Amino acid sequence: MKGAKIARKYLGGGDLAALFEAIENEQKNYNWVVTDHDFFTREEPLKQRLSWTGVFFTGEELTELFVPRRRVTFIDAVLSAYPKEIPVRELQTYKLPEWQSPGYWQEDLELQTPQAVMELVPWDGYELLFLSRRDGLVDSFLRAFPQALDLGETNRRENAVERRITEIFHRAAKERGILLTEKTEKYKYSVFQSLCLKGDEENLEVTDEEIGAEVEKLLRGL
């Protein structure tokens, strides 16, 4: 199981069309179910078709939404690919995937339904996540887009930084006699944002000294 993530601006105007090209149109060999989606389209029939969650598309139909022109923009969604031999009624027995699944940020990636082969996740309007049991498809995508990041490796590094921030934050709060509540715990995430997130880029090469200085600045304001 491998995954990748990329800022959607790097995919160009065709959006998912660029991913389809990178994986040599393998999406056509599967059936797809679209869930938990927020979208925009000017086509009224398409708007009606997407008016509920769990919408079925063949691979050919999904491709036509983006090639030769983009007919719909998914702001948030999960697009799950399944082998064509699986009956639609069987897919209806699974819990519907959600784009905010915490599983996307684990070091050991998982798809949300056991029979899925791929998941495409337009995430919060600006990122695209691509997970697949077929590692070679993700490798092809990473080669086609140098701006894309290996999702599992990035999660591992991000989680390691967050653990260091938590340790330093807890230690500094204890020294200052600050009670750690659910509310104060949330402040540590602003340390990660300040140090590690610069627009679409991530800087995970932060030192304990940098973390400590940012934590001290934060705690002085509490």
Side-chain angles (χ1 to χ4, degrees):
M1 169 71 70
K2 294 193 70 171
K5 72 173 183 176
I6 190 171
R8 293 169 71 178
K9 67 179 184 180
Y10 295 122
L11 296 174
D15 206 7
L16 291 182
L19 183 146
F20 296 159
E21 182 177 0
I23 63 173
E24 299 183 345
N25 284 309
E26 280 294 313
Q27 79 284 349
K28 291 184 178 181
N29 295 324
Y30 296 92
N31 288 328
W32 293 79
V33 178
V34 179
T35 58
D36 197 25
H37 50 287
D38 186 15
F39 68 97
F40 172 78
T41 181
R42 296 184 184 276
E43 298 184 24
E44 193 59 35
L46 189 53
K47 188 181 299 183
Q48 292 297 319
R49 186 174 182 181
L50 289 166
S51 62
W52 64 86
T53 193
V55 185
F56 177 87
F57 289 91
T58 66
E60 290 79 6
E61 288 175 325
L62 182 70
T63 303
E64 289 172 359
L65 295 182
F66 301 95
V67 181
R69 63 180 181 86
R70 181 169 61 183
R71 297 165 53 200
V72 61
T73 298
F74 289 111
I75 300 165
D76 311 306
V78 181
L79 289 73
S80 303
Y82 298 91
K84 289 187 175 181
E85 61 267 21
I86 297 179
V88 175
R89 63 180 179 274
E90 181 177 337
L91 302 181
Q92 293 171 339
T93 65
Y94 300 136
K95 180 181 177 181
L96 296 178
E98 299 177 345
W99 70 269
Q100 288 184 300
S101 169
Y104 292 135
W105 313 119
Q106 297 175 357
E107 298 172 27
D108 296 324
L109 300 173
E110 294 182 354
L111 300 183
Q112 292 190 56
T113 52
Q115 299 284 12
V117 178
M118 288 184 274
E119 286 179 359
L120 309 180
V121 189
W123 199 88
D124 207 20
Y126 70 94
E127 277 191 323
L128 177 71
L129 311 182
F130 172 37
L131 294 85
S132 178
R133 300 188 195 278
R134 296 178 57 187
D135 293 356
L137 296 182
V138 177
D139 290 337
S140 295
F141 178 70
L142 290 168
R143 285 194 297 270
F145 290 93
Q147 308 93 337
L149 300 174
D150 183 298
L151 184 58
E153 175 62 18
T154 301
N155 289 350
R156 183 190 66 77
R157 297 178 63 206
E158 286 183 354
N159 292 341
V161 172
E162 289 183 0
R163 286 192 292 268
R164 286 164 55 208
I165 291 173
T166 297
E167 180 182 350
I168 293 170
F169 180 84
H170 285 182
R171 184 169 64 243
K174 183 177 180 180
E175 291 172 354
R176 287 176 170 267
I178 296 174
L179 181 65
L180 290 172
T181 64
E182 183 177 348
K183 180 179 179 180
T184 55
E185 280 284 355
K186 292 180 180 179
Y187 287 116
K188 68 186 179 186
Y189 298 110
S190 67
V191 176
F192 183 89
Q193 292 174 335
S194 298
L195 292 176
C196 302
L197 302 182
K198 308 296 181 184
D200 293 327
E201 306 298 326
E202 290 185 336
N203 170 33
L204 300 177
E205 302 297 330
V206 294
T207 66
D208 288 355
E209 289 73 20
E210 290 172 318
I211 295 172
E214 193 67 27
V215 167
E216 286 297 324
K217 181 170 41 174
L218 174 67
L219 293 178
R220 282 197 297 269
L222 295 182

